[in-house]
Amino acid sequence: MRAAAIVKRAAVPTIGAAALAELTLSAAVSAKAGGGATRAVIRTAGRAGAIAPDPTHAGFSLARAQNYRAESGVVSITVADFDGDARPDVVTADEGAAAISTFLNKGGGRLATQRLDATAHRAWAIVSGDLNGDGKADVATANGLDSSTLSVLLNRGDGSFGPPRDYATEADPEALTIGDLDGDGRPDVVVANLNAHTVSVFLNVRDGSLGARRDYAADHPQSVAIGDLNGDGEPDLAVANCSIAAPVTVLLNDGHGPSARDAT
């Protein structure tokens, strides 16, 4: 039996543990003759970028970029109303600082200065959802850079988060998603474990606590999504793999948990 190849991530540039990186979100739009293709570019830089109008999409344009400072190594982002004021806020996973940064929305699309919450792990991905049923958005992170864990951080109600609750995954959790897989009204968490060739399902048992891990086969999974793929009313899993042999894996939910079906 041949040894499994180890997939390595691209290095994430950092500026040092105590340094701050300035995050610039900009886009460049170009129209090819007859093609109308657009290209969006996200880069970390210290200058603002403007969005050129796209003639193929009349009525849509983006304003000049607004830049916000975050900790070094911002690798993932999620948007939700974290402080209950009906305005969407922003939380980033800052792998270089082993922390998450919260940017509360002050109105008009303007974000407040970051608030930092330590995670104790270098998160590679972050998602949000109400995990403990209190009506407030919580966050979960996949920590594949320095540990094989999943962390849940519950929202205190003001946009700050409590200490992380850690759960062991398999090797190199790369991505995660949230959804109600077992129909109990509580969102569950699914993690893609890159070099373990598996996805892990953590069912939500109560108060944001997760139950025992259930692992399902994939092939170097890098992303996972939830949706009812066969129309039976049960949410299924679709997995994107870093694999030539099996680039997509579908795991159908029969009400008792997914069963692996490799896409052809």
Side-chain angles (χ1 to χ4, degrees), residues 46 60 63 84 95 115 131 151 212 230 237 252 264:
F60 171 78
E95 67 85 18
R115 175 168 14 191
L131 293 169
S151 294
N230 59 354
L237 302 182
L252 295 178
T264 58

Side-chain angles (χ1 to χ4, degrees), residues 17-180:
L20 288 174
E22 185 167 307
L23 178 66
T24 296
L25 176 62
S26 61
V29 180
S30 62
K32 295 181 180 178
T38 61
R39 179 172 58 93
V41 179
I42 298 175
R43 57 182 177 266
T44 54
R47 60 184 183 274
I51 310 304
D54 181 0
T56 66
H57 294 82
F60 171 78
S61 64
L62 295 174
R64 182 173 294 274
Q66 301 177 55
N67 306 321
Y68 297 90
R69 296 172 69 83
E71 295 299 317
S72 61
V74 175
V75 291
S76 186
I77 195 167
T78 187
V79 174
D81 179 11
F82 292 105
D83 59 356
D85 65 357
R87 293 192 292 252
D89 310 301
V90 174
V91 175
T92 63
D94 308 338
E95 67 85 18
I100 61 173
S101 290
T102 301
F103 300 84
L104 297 180
N105 192 332
K106 302 194 307 184
R110 295 174 298 110
L111 304 181
T113 303
Q114 71 171 140
R115 175 168 14 191
L116 201 65
D117 288 287
T119 62
H121 300 294
R122 297 171 62 195
W124 187 255
I126 188 168
V127 293
S128 55
D130 183 6
L131 293 169
N132 61 351
D134 64 354
K136 303 176 181 66
D138 310 301
V139 297
T141 63
N143 310 315
L145 289 172
D146 64 352
S147 70
S148 293
T149 59
L150 153 72
S151 294
V152 171
L153 293 92
L154 298 180
N155 191 337
R156 293 189 176 104
D158 60 355
S160 66
F161 298 90
R165 300 177 181 178
D166 295 338
Y167 300 86
T169 66
E170 293 208 289
D172 298 321
E174 175 86 356
L176 74 170
T177 189
I178 292 176
D180 183 8

Side-chain angles (χ1 to χ4, degrees), residues 185-203:
R186 294 189 291 256
D188 310 303
V189 182
V190 184
V191 181
N193 304 303
L194 179 67
N195 284 314
H197 304 269
T198 62
V199 294
S200 296
V201 174
F202 295 84
L203 296 180

